[in-house]
Amino acid sequence: MIGVVVPAHNEQDVIVQCIRCISRAAGHNLLDAEPVELVVVTDSCTDGTAVLAAQAGATVLTLHARNVGAARAAGAEHLLARGARWLAFTDADTLVSPGWLAEQLALQADAVCGTVDVQDWSPHGVHADLLRSHFAQTYFDCDAHRHVHGANLGVSAAAYRRAGGFRHLSCSEDVELVSALEACGARIAWSCRPRVITSARRVARAPGGFADALLTAVAQRLAAGTPHLPSLGTAS
């Protein structure tokens, strides 16, 4: 069985479309009808995320930790207990491609670190074109990249256990897991083949994540009075 974990904090506007895309990926013919179970971990939600996720067919776990590392870990432990051999992770504001899971597994690695694409930069208003251009110039959407994104991450159950799982961190939990995987000798595929589209929203759910990296890039440019922005190559 393949398990998919989506942490969510007040994501009622996007969670249904996220689940629909995961469901399409779960039905890919290269998976040979292997069961795929999706867990949405709602963390400190005050909106309709949990109800909508359940209606869309996901298993819903509820936390009150306000901690994305704890949310990912809870989802992973639930799926491991259910017998998952592979764990895939994405975010509620992300749309995975139909081949997302199939491509992760086809790489035959202990873990897969994928890239992200952004198609709508409009949340950044007058800075949208600048960020779009900067992302295109500095982000490495190619094989052998070194990005780590919780929005596009996969790991075998065995490697996840050896690495100790997700630490309960409010940000960079994905980076810490990959570092632990490297330390225990896991074979990691740094690949652009598993495709996802993520949002460029301005309000970060996990401080220090991708949304904050974009805001920091704009702020640094304005403070320096220069059109040059810092690289987004290490954004998680």
Side-chain angles (χ1 to χ4, degrees), residues 174-207:
D174 45 4
V175 176
E176 289 290 333
L177 175 64
V178 173
S179 294
L181 287 164
E182 289 181 308
C184 68
R187 295 172 294 111
I188 300 176
W190 301 86
S191 177
C192 65
R193 284 169 51 182
R195 304 300 301 174
V196 307
I197 298 169
T198 198
S199 76
R201 62 186 176 191
R202 294 174 55 85
V203 180
R205 297 300 192 272

mmCIF file of all heavy atoms in Angstrom, residues 174-207:
data_model
loop_
_atom_site.group_PDB
_atom_site.id
_atom_site.type_symbol
_atom_site.label_atom_id
_atom_site.label_comp_id
_atom_site.label_asym_id
_atom_site.label_seq_id
_atom_site.Cartn_x
_atom_site.Cartn_y
_atom_site.Cartn_z
ATOM 1 N N ASP A 174 11.006 19.024 6.763
ATOM 2 C CA ASP A 174 11.351 18.262 5.577
ATOM 3 C C ASP A 174 12.866 18.235 5.361
ATOM 4 O O ASP A 174 13.447 17.191 5.046
ATOM 5 C CB ASP A 174 10.628 18.819 4.343
ATOM 6 C CG ASP A 174 10.673 20.346 4.259
ATOM 7 O OD1 ASP A 174 11.328 20.994 5.108
ATOM 8 O OD2 ASP A 174 10.034 20.901 3.346
ATOM 9 N N VAL A 175 13.510 19.383 5.558
ATOM 10 C CA VAL A 175 14.962 19.456 5.415
ATOM 11 C C VAL A 175 15.648 18.559 6.445
ATOM 12 O O VAL A 175 16.610 17.844 6.132
ATOM 13 C CB VAL A 175 15.439 20.915 5.563
ATOM 14 C CG1 VAL A 175 16.968 20.992 5.520
ATOM 15 C CG2 VAL A 175 14.834 21.784 4.469
ATOM 16 N N GLU A 176 15.157 18.581 7.672
ATOM 17 C CA GLU A 176 15.742 17.754 8.730
ATOM 18 C C GLU A 176 15.589 16.267 8.416
ATOM 19 O O GLU A 176 16.497 15.472 8.661
ATOM 20 C CB GLU A 176 15.084 18.081 10.074
ATOM 21 C CG GLU A 176 15.448 19.433 10.627
ATOM 22 C CD GLU A 176 16.885 19.513 11.097
ATOM 23 O OE1 GLU A 176 17.451 18.466 11.481
ATOM 24 O OE2 GLU A 176 17.452 20.622 11.073
ATOM 25 N N LEU A 177 14.444 15.874 7.877
ATOM 26 C CA LEU A 177 14.258 14.469 7.532
ATOM 27 C C LEU A 177 15.233 14.044 6.446
ATOM 28 O O LEU A 177 15.858 12.979 6.537
ATOM 29 C CB LEU A 177 12.823 14.210 7.073
ATOM 30 C CG LEU A 177 12.558 12.780 6.565
ATOM 31 C CD1 LEU A 177 12.754 11.756 7.677
ATOM 32 C CD2 LEU A 177 11.158 12.661 5.973
ATOM 33 N N VAL A 178 15.376 14.864 5.410
ATOM 34 C CA VAL A 178 16.289 14.508 4.318
ATOM 35 C C VAL A 178 17.728 14.442 4.824
ATOM 36 O O VAL A 178 18.503 13.563 4.415
ATOM 37 C CB VAL A 178 16.132 15.494 3.149
ATOM 38 C CG1 VAL A 178 17.199 15.252 2.077
ATOM 39 C CG2 VAL A 178 14.738 15.361 2.530
ATOM 40 N N SER A 179 18.107 15.340 5.706
ATOM 41 C CA SER A 179 19.454 15.286 6.303
ATOM 42 C C SER A 179 19.650 13.974 7.060
ATOM 43 O O SER A 179 20.713 13.339 6.979
ATOM 44 C CB SER A 179 19.676 16.467 7.242
ATOM 45 O OG SER A 179 19.685 17.688 6.529
ATOM 46 N N ALA A 180 18.630 13.548 7.801
ATOM 47 C CA ALA A 180 18.710 12.287 8.531
ATOM 48 C C ALA A 180 18.781 11.100 7.571
ATOM 49 O O ALA A 180 19.497 10.122 7.835
ATOM 50 C CB ALA A 180 17.515 12.149 9.464
ATOM 51 N N LEU A 181 18.057 11.176 6.468
ATOM 52 C CA LEU A 181 18.119 10.122 5.462
ATOM 53 C C LEU A 181 19.514 10.019 4.864
ATOM 54 O O LEU A 181 20.060 8.922 4.692
ATOM 55 C CB LEU A 181 17.093 10.385 4.352
ATOM 56 C CG LEU A 181 15.622 10.153 4.716
ATOM 57 C CD1 LEU A 181 14.707 10.802 3.699
ATOM 58 C CD2 LEU A 181 15.323 8.658 4.827
ATOM 59 N N GLU A 182 20.110 11.163 4.553
ATOM 60 C CA GLU A 182 21.470 11.166 4.027
ATOM 61 C C GLU A 182 22.445 10.566 5.045
ATOM 62 O O GLU A 182 23.338 9.784 4.685
ATOM 63 C CB GLU A 182 21.895 12.588 3.667
ATOM 64 C CG GLU A 182 21.188 13.149 2.437
ATOM 65 C CD GLU A 182 21.638 14.546 2.092
ATOM 66 O OE1 GLU A 182 21.621 15.422 2.984
ATOM 67 O OE2 GLU A 182 22.014 14.762 0.921
ATOM 68 N N ALA A 183 22.268 10.921 6.309
ATOM 69 C CA ALA A 183 23.172 10.454 7.361
ATOM 70 C C ALA A 183 23.125 8.940 7.537
ATOM 71 O O ALA A 183 24.127 8.324 7.922
ATOM 72 C CB ALA A 183 22.846 11.142 8.680
ATOM 73 N N CYS A 184 21.961 8.347 7.249
ATOM 74 C CA CYS A 184 21.864 6.890 7.413
ATOM 75 C C CYS A 184 22.067 6.146 6.092
ATOM 76 O O CYS A 184 21.793 4.950 6.006
ATOM 77 C CB CYS A 184 20.537 6.506 8.081
ATOM 78 S SG CYS A 184 19.064 6.803 7.099
ATOM 79 N N GLY A 185 22.568 6.857 5.092
ATOM 80 C CA GLY A 185 22.967 6.202 3.849
ATOM 81 C C GLY A 185 21.857 5.922 2.864
ATOM 82 O O GLY A 185 22.024 5.089 1.957
ATOM 83 N N ALA A 186 20.744 6.602 2.977
ATOM 84 C CA ALA A 186 19.629 6.370 2.054
ATOM 85 C C ALA A 186 19.989 6.813 0.634
ATOM 86 O O ALA A 186 20.726 7.786 0.439
ATOM 87 C CB ALA A 186 18.392 7.132 2.529
ATOM 88 N N ARG A 187 19.473 6.097 -0.337
ATOM 89 C CA ARG A 187 19.636 6.472 -1.743
ATOM 90 C C ARG A 187 18.550 7.494 -2.081
ATOM 91 O O ARG A 187 17.373 7.148 -2.123
ATOM 92 C CB ARG A 187 19.518 5.246 -2.650
ATOM 93 C CG ARG A 187 20.622 4.224 -2.458
ATOM 94 C CD ARG A 187 20.364 2.948 -3.240
ATOM 95 N NE ARG A 187 19.191 2.237 -2.740
ATOM 96 C CZ ARG A 187 18.048 2.096 -3.392
ATOM 97 N NH1 ARG A 187 17.899 2.628 -4.606
ATOM 98 N NH2 ARG A 187 17.040 1.419 -2.868
ATOM 99 N N ILE A 188 18.950 8.724 -2.337
ATOM 100 C CA ILE A 188 17.995 9.804 -2.574
ATOM 101 C C ILE A 188 18.038 10.218 -4.040
ATOM 102 O O ILE A 188 19.114 10.493 -4.591
ATOM 103 C CB ILE A 188 18.302 11.026 -1.683
ATOM 104 C CG1 ILE A 188 18.209 10.625 -0.208
ATOM 105 C CG2 ILE A 188 17.349 12.171 -1.988
ATOM 106 C CD1 ILE A 188 18.580 11.725 0.761
ATOM 107 N N ALA A 189 16.898 10.251 -4.682
ATOM 108 C CA ALA A 189 16.772 10.746 -6.049
ATOM 109 C C ALA A 189 16.363 12.212 -5.991
ATOM 110 O O ALA A 189 15.287 12.534 -5.482
ATOM 111 C CB ALA A 189 15.744 9.922 -6.822
ATOM 112 N N TRP A 190 17.224 13.072 -6.488
ATOM 113 C CA TRP A 190 16.918 14.508 -6.587
ATOM 114 C C TRP A 190 16.399 14.713 -8.005
ATOM 115 O O TRP A 190 17.172 14.898 -8.944
ATOM 116 C CB TRP A 190 18.162 15.333 -6.316
ATOM 117 C CG TRP A 190 18.771 15.085 -4.966
ATOM 118 C CD1 TRP A 190 19.669 14.109 -4.639
ATOM 119 C CD2 TRP A 190 18.514 15.813 -3.766
ATOM 120 N NE1 TRP A 190 19.991 14.190 -3.305
ATOM 121 C CE2 TRP A 190 19.302 15.224 -2.741
ATOM 122 C CE3 TRP A 190 17.694 16.910 -3.460
ATOM 123 C CZ2 TRP A 190 19.290 15.693 -1.438
ATOM 124 C CZ3 TRP A 190 17.685 17.379 -2.165
ATOM 125 C CH2 TRP A 190 18.478 16.779 -1.159
ATOM 126 N N SER A 191 15.097 14.654 -8.162
ATOM 127 C CA SER A 191 14.508 14.523 -9.496
ATOM 128 C C SER A 191 13.429 15.567 -9.752
ATOM 129 O O SER A 191 12.704 15.975 -8.840
ATOM 130 C CB SER A 191 13.907 13.124 -9.656
ATOM 131 O OG SER A 191 13.263 12.977 -10.897
ATOM 132 N N CYS A 192 13.302 15.951 -11.014
ATOM 133 C CA CYS A 192 12.209 16.835 -11.427
ATOM 134 C C CYS A 192 11.080 16.053 -12.082
ATOM 135 O O CYS A 192 10.130 16.650 -12.586
ATOM 136 C CB CYS A 192 12.732 17.910 -12.379
ATOM 137 S SG CYS A 192 13.352 17.267 -13.959
ATOM 138 N N ARG A 193 11.160 14.732 -12.081
ATOM 139 C CA ARG A 193 10.141 13.936 -12.770
ATOM 140 C C ARG A 193 8.775 13.932 -12.061
ATOM 141 O O ARG A 193 7.747 14.079 -12.729
ATOM 142 C CB ARG A 193 10.652 12.508 -12.964
ATOM 143 C CG ARG A 193 11.671 12.372 -14.091
ATOM 144 C CD ARG A 193 12.358 11.022 -14.102
ATOM 145 N NE ARG A 193 11.401 9.905 -14.067
ATOM 146 C CZ ARG A 193 11.787 8.628 -14.022
ATOM 147 N NH1 ARG A 193 13.083 8.324 -14.012
ATOM 148 N NH2 ARG A 193 10.878 7.665 -13.989
ATOM 149 N N PRO A 194 8.719 13.776 -10.740
ATOM 150 C CA PRO A 194 7.395 13.884 -10.086
ATOM 151 C C PRO A 194 6.977 15.358 -10.047
ATOM 152 O O PRO A 194 7.613 16.183 -9.387
ATOM 153 C CB PRO A 194 7.664 13.345 -8.671
ATOM 154 C CG PRO A 194 9.010 12.692 -8.720
ATOM 155 C CD PRO A 194 9.770 13.417 -9.773
ATOM 156 N N ARG A 195 5.907 15.706 -10.757
ATOM 157 C CA ARG A 195 5.566 17.116 -10.953
ATOM 158 C C ARG A 195 4.461 17.564 -10.001
ATOM 159 O O ARG A 195 3.473 16.850 -9.789
ATOM 160 C CB ARG A 195 5.088 17.366 -12.387
ATOM 161 C CG ARG A 195 6.050 16.937 -13.471
ATOM 162 C CD ARG A 195 7.368 17.663 -13.377
ATOM 163 N NE ARG A 195 7.219 19.107 -13.484
ATOM 164 C CZ ARG A 195 8.228 19.974 -13.322
ATOM 165 N NH1 ARG A 195 9.432 19.538 -13.015
ATOM 166 N NH2 ARG A 195 7.995 21.273 -13.446
ATOM 167 N N VAL A 196 4.622 18.764 -9.467
ATOM 168 C CA VAL A 196 3.558 19.398 -8.687
ATOM 169 C C VAL A 196 3.532 20.887 -8.997
ATOM 170 O O VAL A 196 4.549 21.477 -9.363
ATOM 171 C CB VAL A 196 3.741 19.194 -7.152
ATOM 172 C CG1 VAL A 196 3.920 17.729 -6.791
ATOM 173 C CG2 VAL A 196 4.892 20.030 -6.611
ATOM 174 N N ILE A 197 2.355 21.473 -8.826
ATOM 175 C CA ILE A 197 2.190 22.923 -8.934
ATOM 176 C C ILE A 197 1.780 23.429 -7.567
ATOM 177 O O ILE A 197 0.799 22.957 -6.985
ATOM 178 C CB ILE A 197 1.111 23.287 -9.967
ATOM 179 C CG1 ILE A 197 1.505 22.794 -11.360
ATOM 180 C CG2 ILE A 197 0.870 24.799 -9.985
ATOM 181 C CD1 ILE A 197 0.378 22.892 -12.379
ATOM 182 N N THR A 198 2.543 24.362 -7.028
ATOM 183 C CA THR A 198 2.223 24.897 -5.716
ATOM 184 C C THR A 198 1.859 26.372 -5.823
ATOM 185 O O THR A 198 2.043 26.999 -6.864
ATOM 186 C CB THR A 198 3.389 24.675 -4.731
ATOM 187 O OG1 THR A 198 2.919 24.811 -3.393
ATOM 188 C CG2 THR A 198 4.533 25.652 -4.979
ATOM 189 N N SER A 199 1.345 26.922 -4.745
ATOM 190 C CA SER A 199 0.862 28.294 -4.785
ATOM 191 C C SER A 199 1.969 29.267 -4.398
ATOM 192 O O SER A 199 2.950 28.899 -3.741
ATOM 193 C CB SER A 199 -0.327 28.472 -3.840
ATOM 194 O OG SER A 199 0.121 28.531 -2.497
ATOM 195 N N ALA A 200 1.781 30.516 -4.785
ATOM 196 C CA ALA A 200 2.690 31.600 -4.410
ATOM 197 C C ALA A 200 1.998 32.506 -3.400
ATOM 198 O O ALA A 200 2.176 33.722 -3.420
ATOM 199 C CB ALA A 200 3.115 32.384 -5.645
ATOM 200 N N ARG A 201 1.217 31.932 -2.523
ATOM 201 C CA ARG A 201 0.432 32.741 -1.609
ATOM 202 C C ARG A 201 1.322 33.549 -0.673
ATOM 203 O O ARG A 201 2.454 33.169 -0.370
ATOM 204 C CB ARG A 201 -0.530 31.871 -0.803
ATOM 205 C CG ARG A 201 0.117 30.837 0.087
ATOM 206 C CD ARG A 201 -0.974 29.967 0.693
ATOM 207 N NE ARG A 201 -0.446 28.870 1.499
ATOM 208 C CZ ARG A 201 -1.200 27.879 1.948
ATOM 209 N NH1 ARG A 201 -2.486 27.840 1.661
ATOM 210 N NH2 ARG A 201 -0.674 26.921 2.677
ATOM 211 N N ARG A 202 0.775 34.637 -0.189
ATOM 212 C CA ARG A 202 1.515 35.561 0.663
ATOM 213 C C ARG A 202 1.398 35.226 2.145
ATOM 214 O O ARG A 202 2.233 35.654 2.945
ATOM 215 C CB ARG A 202 1.026 36.996 0.428
ATOM 216 C CG ARG A 202 1.340 37.531 -0.960
ATOM 217 C CD ARG A 202 0.695 38.885 -1.166
ATOM 218 N NE ARG A 202 1.084 39.826 -0.127
ATOM 219 C CZ ARG A 202 2.193 40.568 -0.145
ATOM 220 N NH1 ARG A 202 3.047 40.446 -1.154
ATOM 221 N NH2 ARG A 202 2.461 41.418 0.837
ATOM 222 N N VAL A 203 0.347 34.494 2.522
ATOM 223 C CA VAL A 203 0.139 34.166 3.932
ATOM 224 C C VAL A 203 0.635 32.749 4.183
ATOM 225 O O VAL A 203 0.039 31.772 3.740
ATOM 226 C CB VAL A 203 -1.351 34.283 4.326
ATOM 227 C CG1 VAL A 203 -1.536 33.926 5.801
ATOM 228 C CG2 VAL A 203 -1.856 35.691 4.041
ATOM 229 N N ALA A 204 1.748 32.643 4.889
ATOM 230 C CA ALA A 204 2.370 31.342 5.122
ATOM 231 C C ALA A 204 1.610 30.562 6.189
ATOM 232 O O ALA A 204 1.234 31.100 7.220
ATOM 233 C CB ALA A 204 3.812 31.533 5.565
ATOM 234 N N ARG A 205 1.396 29.253 5.934
ATOM 235 C CA ARG A 205 0.830 28.385 6.961
ATOM 236 C C ARG A 205 1.928 27.872 7.887
ATOM 237 O O ARG A 205 1.690 27.649 9.066
ATOM 238 C CB ARG A 205 0.100 27.201 6.319
ATOM 239 C CG ARG A 205 -1.110 27.591 5.456
ATOM 240 C CD ARG A 205 -2.166 28.327 6.268
ATOM 241 N NE ARG A 205 -3.408 28.444 5.534
ATOM 242 C CZ ARG A 205 -3.709 29.432 4.706
ATOM 243 N NH1 ARG A 205 -2.839 30.417 4.518
ATOM 244 N NH2 ARG A 205 -4.864 29.473 4.081
ATOM 245 N N ALA A 206 3.127 27.652 7.322
ATOM 246 C CA ALA A 206 4.277 27.203 8.117
ATOM 247 C C ALA A 206 5.369 28.263 8.010
ATOM 248 O O ALA A 206 6.004 28.392 6.969
ATOM 249 C CB ALA A 206 4.795 25.859 7.614
ATOM 250 N N PRO A 207 5.581 29.051 9.052
ATOM 251 C CA PRO A 207 6.621 30.086 9.013
ATOM 252 C C PRO A 207 7.973 29.500 8.625
ATOM 253 O O PRO A 207 8.365 28.434 9.104
ATOM 254 C CB PRO A 207 6.638 30.614 10.458
ATOM 255 C CG PRO A 207 5.263 30.319 10.973
ATOM 256 C CD PRO A 207 4.859 29.022 10.330
#
